[in-house]
């Protein structure tokens, strides 16, 4: 199995590694870099649990090869709370119970962040449509929608 | 109850946190990517396990060649039935229901295969990549045999799924008094329908998985597993491997959902443990999504031939159900049959004088049936659909028809014709509340106007000018037997310990996998000990008192009862020690805010930490009969059943041209007694409703004519996304149960009531077209077909 040398920026830190051609980005992040917050729900690109941001855009890391990410800026769920404080989006998910088992949550958070960054004034309908890319089997989605709207409002206020 | 909480000491605890929407204690780690899921664990030296599975629904294995796979660099073992099956004991679950009769136990398919996905060989290799390569090298030749796929004809089929059992019927039961037929014949009107429910999959976001390690010279098996029941895992593993239970340590981290799938162990999980024992190294298996959708368990494949007889003014007089369920090839846990449970709950929340039922469970060459959130819910589907059909026949509004028959406070306690006794429920009140919430009468008025404009110009297959959608409203009412308590299910245990620094640990036999027990149990303990829930840490798995785990809407009542009893014991001890130290009577002490104070003399106080420190470090200062420490273990024995109830209502639009259903509003009025955490209750119901919406409209496991699964990915098996689920509105009626705290279970109800509620809304929308809907899911194709059939 051939390997490739790649250099990526993960949560702001430059990382070089040698990866097998068939190593998925999700496995690379989880098992080579040790960022296990990126969850694998289907390995079919369907459920969205493995969502990460590359250049600010949501990507299914289970169906992308690590080698394809060479040179990319990758953001995983671990970036949202680098210190002791959680991100406003995480706080909003907690306030509204936008999670139960927590397995879809990292992907759902990053997709939600992308939606808010794209449109800080998004409506409930836009939030609902926007997160329909990501499956959750526990919550019934409403409290995720509520959390996204609440977080967007808070982030707008912080932006001033 | 039999909780040994000791003598009552001091005033009862104040409900400071119970009843509040306390923010979940598990959330910070889950939100930051620090959840402790089993797939995170890959210790050095781990072997990766995978299964070569049957690609045939039914076949004899004519050649099984593992040489090439075994020879691949990095492969540690390839084993077949001949290697492993003799090594293992019973694979059956600990909970053996009456009328069981599962197939013989065997770990791997032996000589023949009986469904697509049947595990034939197990492969262990140095990495997931190598194990995937090795799987490709396992060669299996088959001689195909005719599979049994149609469960509706399986009972009469001479072709047997398990020839050694002599029949495709695994179990059956009936209670059909002749008086039922007489009552039905004497009814002014009766309606009958054959309702078939679509096969569904639990589909938790985290698939099954475990890491098992045999420590040879310690003779101990350590298991880290995604489970709903760590103690069932330990008991079953010990039985299968021939170990004592204390040789099995089951560790439980975070679990990404289960919905019934992770109560009992599957053959794969046993096989991983066997591999661990043979190889003496950690063995890891993380189920793939296609495996989960095709080989873990399926559910809900039921047929109900249901009849309801009534007087001319709509009073129910008799109901019957002839129920059949598809067990697949091997039921999950070894216990086929929810039929009896479904049938005895047919009367639901209505007065029905006479009820007859019959049920049978049949084998087919498909993935086995397992528990899925309200496994008996066909009773609600059958009953609530036939009630609406009767309403249309009698031209009585379905809500009004329900009101004429629903149990009211003055009817309680109520003995059903099937031998159940309901008490402390509120179906009439919930029905009224949900009708108000959904503005039932207002919707009907609007609907009449729309029907007048749309209905007038409808031609078959054509979109009506101006408006192509018909509005509908559906209602469903049910009584949920939560926290069923018999045999292995009857009790839960808990240990509560205040540590020497005043921090609190609670150990429970549960298997929380999204239900928020880390928070809700902490709320109960915090109230009893006068501390903040954040000062209470919750533990599951190894070292906890035995419990059946989490499922069956049982934890709030039974585990909550155990935690309450254990913490009451600690509270009594704490107050007695504090009283001794402060030279006061325990009855004069107030416990709260992390401190004990003499009532009326706030200056005389000790913190819980100070009392705890004394309890451990100053034994000579304690009352003579207290030997120190601040810990108590108790068990709670639940009543046989704790009934909760609810009424659901939803509105929808059905596009006549496309058959697409759009849900508009969804309201639930629920009575789960006293809520420990209202936010958590809402979340439980909302999640269940979303699953029921999926079951009614989208989700269908399907097989082709040869028994090949067609729904092997989430692109084929359609779990609802946010776009298909509406917003929810919740109302609560509170009728306390007779359990301590007054709680009732509410984990499953959302998934029970929503299927018939959505079904009824769609049928109501299409009623003007004469459409009759009896089979799920209500996909656009099925709705269009029904519209065209009704049009002739």
């Amino acid at each position: 199995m051939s390997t490739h040398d790649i250099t990526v920026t993960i949560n702001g830190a430059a990382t070089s590694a040698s990866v097998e051609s068939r190593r998925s980005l999700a496995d690379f992040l989880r098992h080579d870099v040790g960022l296990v917050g990126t969850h694998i729900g289907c390995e079919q690109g369907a459920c969205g649990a493995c969502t990460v941001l590359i250049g600010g855009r949501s990507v299914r890391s289970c169906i992308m090869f690590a080698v394809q990410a060479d040179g990319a800026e990758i953001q995983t769920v671990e970036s949202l709370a680098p210190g002791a404080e959680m991100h406003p989006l995480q706080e909003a998910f907690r306030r509204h119970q936008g999670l139960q088992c927590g397995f879809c949550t990292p992907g759902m958070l990053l997709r939600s962040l992308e939606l808010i960054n794209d449109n800080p004034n998004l409506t409930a309908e836009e939030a609902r449509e926007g997160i329909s890319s990501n499956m959750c089997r526990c919550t019934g989605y409403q409290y995720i929608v509520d959390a996204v709207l609440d977080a967007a409002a808070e982030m707008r206020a912080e932006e001033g | 109850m039999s909780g040994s909480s000791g003598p009552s000491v001091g005033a009862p605890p104040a409900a400071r946190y119970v009843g509040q929407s306390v923010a979940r204690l598990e959330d910070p780690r889950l939100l930051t990517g620090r959840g402790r899921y089993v797939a995170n664990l890959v210790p050095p030296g781990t072997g990766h396990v995978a299964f070569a599975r049957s690609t045939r629904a039914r076949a004899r294995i004519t050649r099984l060649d593992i040489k090439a796979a075994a020879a691949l660099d990095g492969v540690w073992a390839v084993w077949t039935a001949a290697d492993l099956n003799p090594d293992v004991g019973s694979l059956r679950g600990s909970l053996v229901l009456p009328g069981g009769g599962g197939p013989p136990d065997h770990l791997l398919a032996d000589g023949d295969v009986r469904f697509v996905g049947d595990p034939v060989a197990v492969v262990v290799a140095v990495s997931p990549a190598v194990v995937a390569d090795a799987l490709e090298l396992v060669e299996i030749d088959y001689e195909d045999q005719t599979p049994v796929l149609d469960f509706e004809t399986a009972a009469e089929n001479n072709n047997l799924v398990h020839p050694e059992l002599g029949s495709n019927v695994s179990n059956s039961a009936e209670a059909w008094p002749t008086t039922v037929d007489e009552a039905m014949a004497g009814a002014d009107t009766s309606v009958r329908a054959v309702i078939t429910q679509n096969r569904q999959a639990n589909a938790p976001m985290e698939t099954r998985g475990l890491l098992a390690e045999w420590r040879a010279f310690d003779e101990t098996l350590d298991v880290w597993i995604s489970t709903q029941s760590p103690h069932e895992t330990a008991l079953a593993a010990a039985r299968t491997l021939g170990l004592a239970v204390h040789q099995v340590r089951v560790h439980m981290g975070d679990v990404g959902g289960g919905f019934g799938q992770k109560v009992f162990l599957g053959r794969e999980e046993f096989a991983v443990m066997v591999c661990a024992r043979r190889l003496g190294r950690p063995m890891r298996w993380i189920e793939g999504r296609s495996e989960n959708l095709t080989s873990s368990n399926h559910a809900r494949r039921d047929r109900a031939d249901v009849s309801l007889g009534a007087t001319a003014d709509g009073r129910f007089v008799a109901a019957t159900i002839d129920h059949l369920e598809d067990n697949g090839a091997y039921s999950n846990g070894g216990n086929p049959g929810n039929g009896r449970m479904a049938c005895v709950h047919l009367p639901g929340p209505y007065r029905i004088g006479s009820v007859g039922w019959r049920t049978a469970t049949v084998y087919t060459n498909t993935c086995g049936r397992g528990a899925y959130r309200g496994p008996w819910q066909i009773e609600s589907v059958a009953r609530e659909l036939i009630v609406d059909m009767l309403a249309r026949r009698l031209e009585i509004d379905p809500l009004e028809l329900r009101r004429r028959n629903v149990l009211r406070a003055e009817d309680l306690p109520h003995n059903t014709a099937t031998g159940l006794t309901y008490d402390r429920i509120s179906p009439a009140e919930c029905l009224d509340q949900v009708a108000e919430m959904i503005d039932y009468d207002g919707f009907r008025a609007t609907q009449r106007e729309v029907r007048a404009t749309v209905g007038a110009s409808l031609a078959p297959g054509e979109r009506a000018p101006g408006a192509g959608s018909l509005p509908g409203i559906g209602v469903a009412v049910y009584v949920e037997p939560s926290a069923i308590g018999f045999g292995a299910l009857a009790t839960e245990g808990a240990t509560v310990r205040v540590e020497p620094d005043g921090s609190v640990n609670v150990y429970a036999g549960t298997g929380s996998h999204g239900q928020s027990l880390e928070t809700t149990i902490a709320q109960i303990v915090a109230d009893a000990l006068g501390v903040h829930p954040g000062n209470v840490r919750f533990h599951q798995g190894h070292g906890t008192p035995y419990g059946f785990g989490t499922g069956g809407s049982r934890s709030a009542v039974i585990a909550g009862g155990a935690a309450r009893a254990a913490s009451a014991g600690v509270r009594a001890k704490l107050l007695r020690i504090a009283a001794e130290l402060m030279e006061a009577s325990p009855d004069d002490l107030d416990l709260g805010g992390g401190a004990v104070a003499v009532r009326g003399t706030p200056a005389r106080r000790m913190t819980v930490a100070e009392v705890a420190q004394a309890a451990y470090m100053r034994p000579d200062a304690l009352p003579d009969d207290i030997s120190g420490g601040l810990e108590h273990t108790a068990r709670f024995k639940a009543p046989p059943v704790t009934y909760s109830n609810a009424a659901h209502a939803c509105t929808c639009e059905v596009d006549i041209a496309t058959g697409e259903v759009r849900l508009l509003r969804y309201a639930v009025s629920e009575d789960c007694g006293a809520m420990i955490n209202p936010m958590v209750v809402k979340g439980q119901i909302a999640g269940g409703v979303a699953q029921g919406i999926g079951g009614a409209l989208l989700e269908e496991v399907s097989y082709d004519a040869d028994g090949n699964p067609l729904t092997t990915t989430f692109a084929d098996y359609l779990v609802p996304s946010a776009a298909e689920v509406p917003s929810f509105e919740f109302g609560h009626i509170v009728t306390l149960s007779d359990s301590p705290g007054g709680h009732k279970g509410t984990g499953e109800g959302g998934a029970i009531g929503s299927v018939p509620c959505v079904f009824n809304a769609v049928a109501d929308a299409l009623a003007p077209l004469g459409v009759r809907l009896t089979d799920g899911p209500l996909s656009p194709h099925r709705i269009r077909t029904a519209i065209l059939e009704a049009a002739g």
Side-chain angles (χ1 to χ4, degrees):
Chain A
M1 185 58 66
S2 61
T3 59
H4 305 266
D5 295 329
I6 61 169
T7 299
V8 291
T9 304
I10 303 172
N11 301 335
T15 306
S16 295
S18 180
V19 294
E20 271 193 21
S21 305
R22 65 177 169 185
R23 192 69 153 166
S24 74
L25 178 58
D27 282 340
F28 170 70
L29 291 169
R30 288 178 55 80
H31 300 300
D32 298 341
V33 185
L35 294 174
V36 295
T38 300
H39 296 160
I40 296 176
C42 70
E43 288 189 289
Q44 297 161 343
C47 79
C50 68
T51 299
V52 299
L53 300 182
I54 293 188
R57 287 287 154 215
S58 56
V59 164
R60 314 235 153 169
S61 63
C62 75
I63 52 168
M64 181 172 183
F65 292 116
V67 66
Q68 290 175 287
D70 190 20
E73 291 221 7
I74 302 168
Q75 192 179 349
T76 71
V77 68
E78 286 89 349
S79 70
L80 295 181
E85 299 295 312
M86 289 201 292
H87 189 279
L89 188 57
Q90 292 168 316
E91 293 286 0
F93 266 62
R94 189 181 191 200
R95 273 197 306 281
H96 292 276
Q97 202 192 188
L99 70 161
Q100 287 179 28
C101 82
F103 202 78
C104 75
T105 308
M108 198 64 90
L109 285 167
L110 291 169
R111 172 62 180 148
S112 301
L113 184 63
E114 180 188 30
L115 289 169
I116 296 171
N117 285 341
D118 280 356
N119 178 7
N121 296 296
L122 80 176
T123 64
E125 200 168 330
E126 288 164 343
R128 188 172 278 280
E129 183 66 30
I131 62 160
S132 70
S133 54
N134 289 49
M135 280 175 49
C136 169
R137 194 60 159 163
C138 293
T139 63
Y141 299 109
Q142 179 179 337
Y143 306 119
I144 299 177
V145 172
D146 292 347
V148 171
L149 295 176
D150 198 5
E154 193 163 320
M155 289 162 69
R156 283 197 305 271
E158 277 180 17
E159 289 287 311
Chain B
M1 65 166 279
S2 73
S4 53
S5 54
S8 174
V9 173
R16 182 180 168 91
Y17 297 106
V18 169
Q20 303 301 312
S21 292
V22 173
R24 299 202 322 161
L25 300 171
E26 46 272 78
D27 280 352
R29 71 170 180 274
L30 299 180
L31 283 162
T32 54
R34 269 73 171 190
R36 303 163 301 177
Y37 300 93
V38 69
N40 297 357
L41 303 174
V42 194
T46 293
H48 298 263
V49 181
F51 295 90
R53 297 178 182 277
S54 171
T55 56
R56 311 302 167 94
R58 181 144 195 243
R60 202 167 60 81
I61 298 172
T62 55
R63 191 176 70 94
L64 174 52
D65 188 343
I66 60 171
K67 286 193 293 291
L72 187 71
D73 194 29
V75 171
W76 297 352
V78 185
W79 284 317
T80 66
D83 303 310
L84 297 191
N85 286 13
D87 269 14
V88 302
S90 171
L91 305 182
R92 294 193 67 143
S94 306
L95 178 70
V96 178
L97 297 170
D105 290 327
H106 54 272
L107 197 62
L108 298 172
D110 189 2
D112 67 358
V113 291
R114 302 185 184 189
F115 72 101
V116 174
D118 211 347
V120 176
V122 57
V123 182
V124 185
V126 67
S127 74
V130 173
V131 86
D133 289 344
L135 272 188
E136 299 291 320
L137 299 174
V138 175
E139 294 180 29
I140 311 171
D141 289 345
Y142 299 100
E143 178 187 297
D144 282 325
Q145 298 171 325
T146 305
V148 177
L149 298 173
D150 178 13
F151 84 110
E152 299 193 56
T153 56
E156 296 82 39
N157 196 336
N158 291 325
N159 184 13
L160 299 181
V161 174
H162 303 299
E164 67 279 14
L165 296 180
S167 171
N168 281 335
V169 179
S170 77
N171 56 326
S172 60
E174 74 171 86
W176 197 298
T178 52
T179 48
V180 175
D181 296 322
E182 290 161 16
M184 193 70 79
D188 295 329
T189 310
S190 67
V191 285
R192 177 181 172 191
V194 178
I195 291 157
T196 53
Q197 186 154 235
N198 33 311
R199 178 183 277 253
Q200 293 165 45
N202 299 44
M205 291 306 299
E206 181 198 39
T207 58
R208 296 181 296 162
L210 74 160
L211 180 85
E213 180 171 10
W214 174 251
R215 302 182 193 278
F217 291 95
D218 202 23
E219 298 200 319
T220 300
L221 183 74
D222 275 301
V223 181
W224 292 261
I225 185 166
S226 179
T227 183
Q228 297 178 226
S229 183
H231 291 282
E232 170 63 16
T233 301
L235 293 181
R239 264 196 310 273
T240 302
L241 299 173
L243 301 172
V245 174
H246 71 181
Q247 289 178 273
V248 184
R249 290 190 294 228
V250 177
H251 311 278
M252 196 180 162
D254 292 306
V255 173
F259 315 110
Q261 183 167 87
K262 298 172 181 172
V263 175
F264 298 106
L265 292 181
R267 291 151 81 196
E268 297 88 347
E269 290 151 317
F270 286 121
V272 171
M273 295 179 198
V274 172
C275 290
R277 191 164 184 201
R278 284 191 159 208
L279 292 169
R281 316 178 68 150
M283 290 290 133
R284 177 179 187 263
W285 176 65
I286 303 299
E287 184 181 41
R289 179 54 63 186
S290 291
E291 288 182 293
N292 184 262
L293 288 173
T294 59
S295 309
S296 55
N297 72 273
H298 292 159
R300 303 255 200 269
R301 187 62 171 148
D302 298 276
R303 185 191 68 190
D305 184 342
V306 59
S307 295
L308 180 60
T311 60
D313 65 346
R315 312 283 165 183
F316 302 160
V317 295
T320 62
I321 184 169
D322 192 341
H323 169 253
L324 180 70
E325 65 182 347
D326 187 345
N327 187 55
Y330 304 104
S331 59
N332 179 313
N335 284 295
N338 294 294
R340 181 191 299 261
M341 178 83 170
C343 290
V344 299
H345 287 91
L346 179 69
Y350 303 119
R351 291 178 301 270
I352 308 179
S354 197
V355 175
W357 59 268
R358 183 181 296 132
T359 180
T361 306
V362 293
Y363 293 115
T364 57
N365 290 109
T366 60
C367 176
R369 187 184 182 111
Y372 177 37
R373 207 169 193 173
W376 61 90
Q377 55 82 274
I378 188 66
E379 48 82 28
S380 282
V381 177
R383 179 187 61 249
E384 295 303 307
L385 263 59
I386 201 75
V387 166
D388 266 39
M389 290 178 194
L390 178 68
R392 283 192 283 277
R393 168 77 63 84
L394 294 173
E395 296 182 356
I396 298 174
D397 184 273
L399 176 64
E400 170 58 24
L401 183 61
R402 285 180 172 81
R403 282 182 166 147
R404 289 184 195 178
N405 291 281
V406 73
L407 293 167
R408 302 190 173 279
E410 59 268 27
D411 298 319
L412 301 175
H414 172 76
N415 296 317
T416 71
T418 52
L420 308 175
T421 302
Y422 297 151
D423 200 2
R424 299 169 183 262
I425 57 171
S426 56
E429 292 84 348
C430 283
L431 185 61
D432 285 343
Q433 187 178 57
V434 87
E436 177 95 2
M437 288 165 67
I438 203 86
D439 185 20
Y440 192 90
D441 296 335
F443 186 88
R444 282 287 184 218
T446 309
Q447 185 188 46
R448 275 192 292 276
E449 292 168 24
V450 177
R451 281 179 173 175
T453 54
V454 177
S457 55
L458 281 178
E462 284 183 8
R463 177 181 285 268
S469 291
L470 284 170
I473 187 164
V475 174
V477 197
Y478 61 90
V479 177
E480 182 190 350
S482 83
I484 289 174
F486 68 89
L489 298 173
T491 73
E492 287 281 338
T495 296
V496 171
R497 183 163 71 226
V498 181
E499 301 294 347
D501 67 348
S503 63
V504 182
N505 281 309
V506 53
Y507 303 85
T510 51
S512 184
H513 51 288
Q515 290 78 2
S516 321
L517 298 186
E518 191 167 332
T519 306
T520 52
I521 296 293
Q523 289 176 254
I524 290 173
V525 174
D527 272 354
L529 300 182
V531 299
H532 189 274
N535 197 32
V536 180
R537 288 268 169 131
F538 175 74
H539 307 272
Q540 303 180 126
H542 178 64
T544 63
Y546 172 80
F548 188 73
T550 295
S553 306
R554 65 197 309 276
S555 290
V557 173
I558 312 181
R564 198 175 285 271
S567 46
V570 176
R571 174 189 173 89
K573 197 169 183 181
L574 191 154
L575 288 174
R576 287 202 54 220
I577 293 171
E580 179 86 6
L581 296 172
M582 291 195 282
E583 296 176 349
S585 160
D587 292 333
D588 294 336
L589 298 182
D590 285 330
L591 179 56
V596 191
V598 179
R599 196 169 305 123
T601 319
R604 288 174 65 197
R605 71 191 289 274
M606 292 179 75
T607 64
V608 169
E610 287 167 342
V611 179
Q613 207 266 351
Y616 289 95
M617 310 301 177
R618 296 167 54 202
D620 294 339
L622 307 182
D624 289 343
D625 60 333
I626 290 181
S627 54
L630 207 44
E631 173 177 340
H632 192 77
T633 297
R635 295 199 74 76
F636 175 69
K637 182 173 182 298
V641 61
T642 300
Y643 288 107
S644 55
N645 63 275
H648 291 212
C650 73
T651 59
C652 73
E653 274 181 356
V654 183
D655 187 313
I656 301 153
T658 65
E660 187 187 9
V661 176
R662 195 161 75 87
L663 295 175
L664 303 173
R665 291 180 62 201
Y666 204 109
V668 180
S669 170
E670 165 92 13
D671 186 345
C672 63
M675 291 183 278
I676 301 171
N677 184 321
M679 178 183 79
V680 168
V681 168
K682 281 201 299 184
Q684 287 296 306
I685 302 170
V689 170
Q691 286 180 326
I693 289 170
L697 298 179
L698 297 164
E699 298 181 32
E700 182 172 31
V701 172
S702 55
Y703 285 91
D704 72 9
D706 297 319
N708 295 304
L710 300 175
T711 38
T712 63
T713 74
F714 278 143
D716 314 304
Y717 187 75
L718 303 179
V719 167
S721 81
E724 287 89 34
V725 176
S727 290
F728 303 119
E729 298 150 64
F730 294 108
H732 297 287
I733 302 290
V734 178
T735 311
L736 299 182
S737 74
D738 54 7
S739 290
H743 314 305
K744 303 172 181 177
T746 195
E748 293 163 294
I752 295 170
S754 46
V755 174
C757 183
V758 171
F759 232 94
N760 281 342
V762 175
D764 180 65
L766 297 175
L769 306 183
V771 169
R772 184 177 161 94
L773 299 171
T774 53
D775 302 341
L778 297 173
S779 61
H781 173 74
R782 186 165 273 129
I783 288 174
R784 277 292 297 161
T785 304
I787 291 173
L788 292 176
E789 277 172 6

